[in-house]
Amino acid sequence: MDQLTTTMITERITASIEVKKQMLTSEKLLATIEAVQGCVSKAFRKGGKVLFCGNGGSAADAQHLAAEFSGRFYKNRPPLYAEALHCNTSYLTAVANDFSFADVYARMVEAMGRPGDILIALSTSGNSENVLRAIVQAKKKEMITVGLTGESGGRMKDLCHYLIDVPSGDTPRIQEAHIMTGHIICEQVETDLF
């Protein structure tokens, strides 16, 4: 392996570690993660659900985290009702075509959301229009809204009940921290409920 490649690899690993170190020193961020875990546990205890939405890599993370709840994480236990809103491609393409791509998540939240359910919205910029509209709809449905963003929080910071704003402006580092945070929440919920 050449020196340039080795340098790039070590720089990326170091950058990822640095973001996580900053998260460790933010009492506000740690308290928010703990509060979100409590809300998710409460929703599941009451027979509620957790809906996820995001675009691109954030959609992949949303689907991954929904599967951790509805499948299993560490424990063999009953499934928990969690769903990533982009997985029904017939619905997604029909609504995008007949209405607008900006409405794809909001319409699903309108159909599925109930008071006390949770919407976990992922957007590294915090400005994805379809995610923002989903949050607005979730609040109309009296759902708890959780935003996972980068350091600016974007427009989501003023819309969400809880904002987990990863201290970075670098999309890959933000997404790495989002999946770590989601795994922490999954583990704590599983421990709490089972």
Side-chain angles (χ1 to χ4, degrees), residues 169-190:
D170 185 9
T171 297
R173 304 298 80 81
I174 296 165
Q175 289 173 333
E176 290 159 5
H178 284 175
I179 204 68
M180 177 193 70
T181 300
H183 280 160
I184 291 166
I185 292 168
C186 288
E187 182 176 1
Q188 289 301 308
V189 167
E190 204 174 65

mmCIF file of all heavy atoms in Angstrom, residues 169-190:
data_model
loop_
_atom_site.group_PDB
_atom_site.id
_atom_site.type_symbol
_atom_site.label_atom_id
_atom_site.label_comp_id
_atom_site.label_asym_id
_atom_site.label_seq_id
_atom_site.Cartn_x
_atom_site.Cartn_y
_atom_site.Cartn_z
ATOM 1 N N GLY A 169 -19.713 18.702 9.922
ATOM 2 C CA GLY A 169 -20.332 19.134 8.681
ATOM 3 C C GLY A 169 -19.994 18.190 7.532
ATOM 4 O O GLY A 169 -20.347 18.453 6.390
ATOM 5 N N ASP A 170 -19.339 17.076 7.835
ATOM 6 C CA ASP A 170 -18.873 16.118 6.836
ATOM 7 C C ASP A 170 -19.863 14.951 6.767
ATOM 8 O O ASP A 170 -19.987 14.182 7.724
ATOM 9 C CB ASP A 170 -17.473 15.646 7.225
ATOM 10 C CG ASP A 170 -16.835 14.745 6.188
ATOM 11 O OD1 ASP A 170 -17.374 14.604 5.077
ATOM 12 O OD2 ASP A 170 -15.766 14.169 6.510
ATOM 13 N N THR A 171 -20.563 14.819 5.638
ATOM 14 C CA THR A 171 -21.645 13.842 5.508
ATOM 15 C C THR A 171 -21.267 12.426 5.940
ATOM 16 O O THR A 171 -21.996 11.822 6.736
ATOM 17 C CB THR A 171 -22.212 13.857 4.073
ATOM 18 O OG1 THR A 171 -22.771 15.158 3.828
ATOM 19 C CG2 THR A 171 -23.281 12.806 3.878
ATOM 20 N N PRO A 172 -20.156 11.842 5.478
ATOM 21 C CA PRO A 172 -19.840 10.481 5.922
ATOM 22 C C PRO A 172 -19.637 10.376 7.435
ATOM 23 O O PRO A 172 -20.080 9.406 8.062
ATOM 24 C CB PRO A 172 -18.542 10.138 5.175
ATOM 25 C CG PRO A 172 -18.544 11.019 3.975
ATOM 26 C CD PRO A 172 -19.217 12.284 4.416
ATOM 27 N N ARG A 173 -18.995 11.371 8.048
ATOM 28 C CA ARG A 173 -18.778 11.317 9.495
ATOM 29 C C ARG A 173 -20.119 11.446 10.238
ATOM 30 O O ARG A 173 -20.324 10.798 11.265
ATOM 31 C CB ARG A 173 -17.846 12.444 9.956
ATOM 32 C CG ARG A 173 -16.480 12.526 9.281
ATOM 33 C CD ARG A 173 -15.568 11.338 9.474
ATOM 34 N NE ARG A 173 -15.823 10.205 8.640
ATOM 35 C CZ ARG A 173 -15.416 10.057 7.357
ATOM 36 N NH1 ARG A 173 -14.725 10.977 6.745
ATOM 37 N NH2 ARG A 173 -15.697 8.941 6.704
ATOM 38 N N ILE A 174 -21.026 12.276 9.716
ATOM 39 C CA ILE A 174 -22.349 12.437 10.331
ATOM 40 C C ILE A 174 -23.102 11.112 10.263
ATOM 41 O O ILE A 174 -23.674 10.657 11.267
ATOM 42 C CB ILE A 174 -23.143 13.555 9.628
ATOM 43 C CG1 ILE A 174 -22.458 14.905 9.810
ATOM 44 C CG2 ILE A 174 -24.580 13.612 10.162
ATOM 45 C CD1 ILE A 174 -22.979 15.988 8.860
ATOM 46 N N GLN A 175 -23.096 10.479 9.096
ATOM 47 C CA GLN A 175 -23.826 9.226 8.944
ATOM 48 C C GLN A 175 -23.241 8.119 9.817
ATOM 49 O O GLN A 175 -23.994 7.310 10.376
ATOM 50 C CB GLN A 175 -23.856 8.810 7.471
ATOM 51 C CG GLN A 175 -24.754 9.728 6.655
ATOM 52 C CD GLN A 175 -24.697 9.461 5.166
ATOM 53 O OE1 GLN A 175 -23.702 8.976 4.646
ATOM 54 N NE2 GLN A 175 -25.777 9.794 4.478
ATOM 55 N N GLU A 176 -21.928 8.084 9.965
ATOM 56 C CA GLU A 176 -21.312 7.100 10.861
ATOM 57 C C GLU A 176 -21.795 7.313 12.291
ATOM 58 O O GLU A 176 -22.084 6.350 13.017
ATOM 59 C CB GLU A 176 -19.788 7.218 10.800
ATOM 60 C CG GLU A 176 -19.199 6.755 9.484
ATOM 61 C CD GLU A 176 -17.809 7.302 9.200
ATOM 62 O OE1 GLU A 176 -17.216 7.980 10.072
ATOM 63 O OE2 GLU A 176 -17.321 7.055 8.071
ATOM 64 N N ALA A 177 -21.907 8.564 12.692
ATOM 65 C CA ALA A 177 -22.378 8.868 14.044
ATOM 66 C C ALA A 177 -23.866 8.582 14.191
ATOM 67 O O ALA A 177 -24.318 8.173 15.265
ATOM 68 C CB ALA A 177 -22.073 10.325 14.387
ATOM 69 N N HIS A 178 -24.647 8.785 13.130
ATOM 70 C CA HIS A 178 -26.078 8.476 13.193
ATOM 71 C C HIS A 178 -26.307 6.985 13.431
ATOM 72 O O HIS A 178 -27.131 6.608 14.269
ATOM 73 C CB HIS A 178 -26.784 8.892 11.902
ATOM 74 C CG HIS A 178 -27.010 10.363 11.783
ATOM 75 N ND1 HIS A 178 -27.544 10.934 10.650
ATOM 76 C CD2 HIS A 178 -26.793 11.381 12.643
ATOM 77 C CE1 HIS A 178 -27.644 12.234 10.813
ATOM 78 N NE2 HIS A 178 -27.175 12.532 12.020
ATOM 79 N N ILE A 179 -25.589 6.146 12.712
ATOM 80 C CA ILE A 179 -25.808 4.712 12.884
ATOM 81 C C ILE A 179 -25.330 4.269 14.264
ATOM 82 O O ILE A 179 -25.973 3.425 14.917
ATOM 83 C CB ILE A 179 -25.191 3.882 11.729
ATOM 84 C CG1 ILE A 179 -25.903 2.533 11.611
ATOM 85 C CG2 ILE A 179 -23.716 3.689 11.873
ATOM 86 C CD1 ILE A 179 -27.332 2.612 11.144
ATOM 87 N N MET A 180 -24.250 4.839 14.767
ATOM 88 C CA MET A 180 -23.793 4.525 16.120
ATOM 89 C C MET A 180 -24.851 4.931 17.140
ATOM 90 O O MET A 180 -25.198 4.164 18.046
ATOM 91 C CB MET A 180 -22.473 5.241 16.416
ATOM 92 C CG MET A 180 -21.974 5.006 17.841
ATOM 93 S SD MET A 180 -20.636 6.131 18.323
ATOM 94 C CE MET A 180 -21.508 7.697 18.442
ATOM 95 N N THR A 181 -25.387 6.147 16.975
ATOM 96 C CA THR A 181 -26.407 6.640 17.895
ATOM 97 C C THR A 181 -27.651 5.762 17.843
ATOM 98 O O THR A 181 -28.221 5.407 18.886
ATOM 99 C CB THR A 181 -26.775 8.095 17.539
ATOM 100 O OG1 THR A 181 -25.587 8.902 17.635
ATOM 101 C CG2 THR A 181 -27.849 8.643 18.454
ATOM 102 N N GLY A 182 -28.063 5.387 16.637
ATOM 103 C CA GLY A 182 -29.209 4.497 16.501
ATOM 104 C C GLY A 182 -28.985 3.160 17.175
ATOM 105 O O GLY A 182 -29.879 2.621 17.834
ATOM 106 N N HIS A 183 -27.790 2.622 17.039
ATOM 107 C CA HIS A 183 -27.477 1.355 17.693
ATOM 108 C C HIS A 183 -27.522 1.490 19.214
ATOM 109 O O HIS A 183 -28.004 0.586 19.904
ATOM 110 C CB HIS A 183 -26.099 0.850 17.257
ATOM 111 C CG HIS A 183 -26.108 0.174 15.932
ATOM 112 N ND1 HIS A 183 -24.964 0.005 15.179
ATOM 113 C CD2 HIS A 183 -27.108 -0.391 15.207
ATOM 114 C CE1 HIS A 183 -25.265 -0.644 14.064
ATOM 115 N NE2 HIS A 183 -26.567 -0.882 14.048
ATOM 116 N N ILE A 184 -27.041 2.604 19.734
ATOM 117 C CA ILE A 184 -27.101 2.836 21.183
ATOM 118 C C ILE A 184 -28.551 2.865 21.642
ATOM 119 O O ILE A 184 -28.922 2.240 22.649
ATOM 120 C CB ILE A 184 -26.371 4.145 21.549
ATOM 121 C CG1 ILE A 184 -24.859 3.994 21.350
ATOM 122 C CG2 ILE A 184 -26.685 4.563 22.984
ATOM 123 C CD1 ILE A 184 -24.088 5.305 21.366
ATOM 124 N N ILE A 185 -29.393 3.579 20.915
ATOM 125 C CA ILE A 185 -30.808 3.666 21.280
ATOM 126 C C ILE A 185 -31.462 2.285 21.199
ATOM 127 O O ILE A 185 -32.188 1.885 22.116
ATOM 128 C CB ILE A 185 -31.537 4.708 20.394
ATOM 129 C CG1 ILE A 185 -31.014 6.118 20.730
ATOM 130 C CG2 ILE A 185 -33.054 4.616 20.579
ATOM 131 C CD1 ILE A 185 -31.433 7.189 19.741
ATOM 132 N N CYS A 186 -31.187 1.535 20.125
ATOM 133 C CA CYS A 186 -31.740 0.183 19.999
ATOM 134 C C CYS A 186 -31.337 -0.690 21.178
ATOM 135 O O CYS A 186 -32.181 -1.386 21.763
ATOM 136 C CB CYS A 186 -31.259 -0.476 18.712
ATOM 137 S SG CYS A 186 -31.986 0.192 17.215
ATOM 138 N N GLU A 187 -30.073 -0.663 21.529
ATOM 139 C CA GLU A 187 -29.593 -1.502 22.628
ATOM 140 C C GLU A 187 -30.258 -1.119 23.940
ATOM 141 O O GLU A 187 -30.690 -1.979 24.711
ATOM 142 C CB GLU A 187 -28.068 -1.403 22.753
ATOM 143 C CG GLU A 187 -27.510 -2.272 23.841
ATOM 144 C CD GLU A 187 -25.990 -2.266 23.938
ATOM 145 O OE1 GLU A 187 -25.345 -1.542 23.130
ATOM 146 O OE2 GLU A 187 -25.460 -2.979 24.805
ATOM 147 N N GLN A 188 -30.359 0.177 24.194
ATOM 148 C CA GLN A 188 -30.955 0.617 25.451
ATOM 149 C C GLN A 188 -32.444 0.298 25.516
ATOM 150 O O GLN A 188 -32.967 -0.087 26.560
ATOM 151 C CB GLN A 188 -30.711 2.119 25.652
ATOM 152 C CG GLN A 188 -29.269 2.455 25.970
ATOM 153 C CD GLN A 188 -28.790 1.747 27.226
ATOM 154 O OE1 GLN A 188 -29.416 1.827 28.273
ATOM 155 N NE2 GLN A 188 -27.695 1.028 27.120
ATOM 156 N N VAL A 189 -33.149 0.469 24.392
ATOM 157 C CA VAL A 189 -34.572 0.123 24.359
ATOM 158 C C VAL A 189 -34.754 -1.366 24.608
ATOM 159 O O VAL A 189 -35.610 -1.788 25.394
ATOM 160 C CB VAL A 189 -35.215 0.552 23.020
ATOM 161 C CG1 VAL A 189 -36.592 -0.072 22.841
ATOM 162 C CG2 VAL A 189 -35.300 2.073 22.931
ATOM 163 N N GLU A 190 -33.954 -2.179 23.953
ATOM 164 C CA GLU A 190 -34.043 -3.633 24.121
ATOM 165 C C GLU A 190 -33.770 -4.017 25.577
ATOM 166 O O GLU A 190 -34.499 -4.836 26.151
ATOM 167 C CB GLU A 190 -33.031 -4.295 23.175
ATOM 168 C CG GLU A 190 -33.388 -5.712 22.820
ATOM 169 C CD GLU A 190 -32.446 -6.275 21.768
ATOM 170 O OE1 GLU A 190 -31.233 -6.430 22.065
ATOM 171 O OE2 GLU A 190 -32.915 -6.584 20.680
#
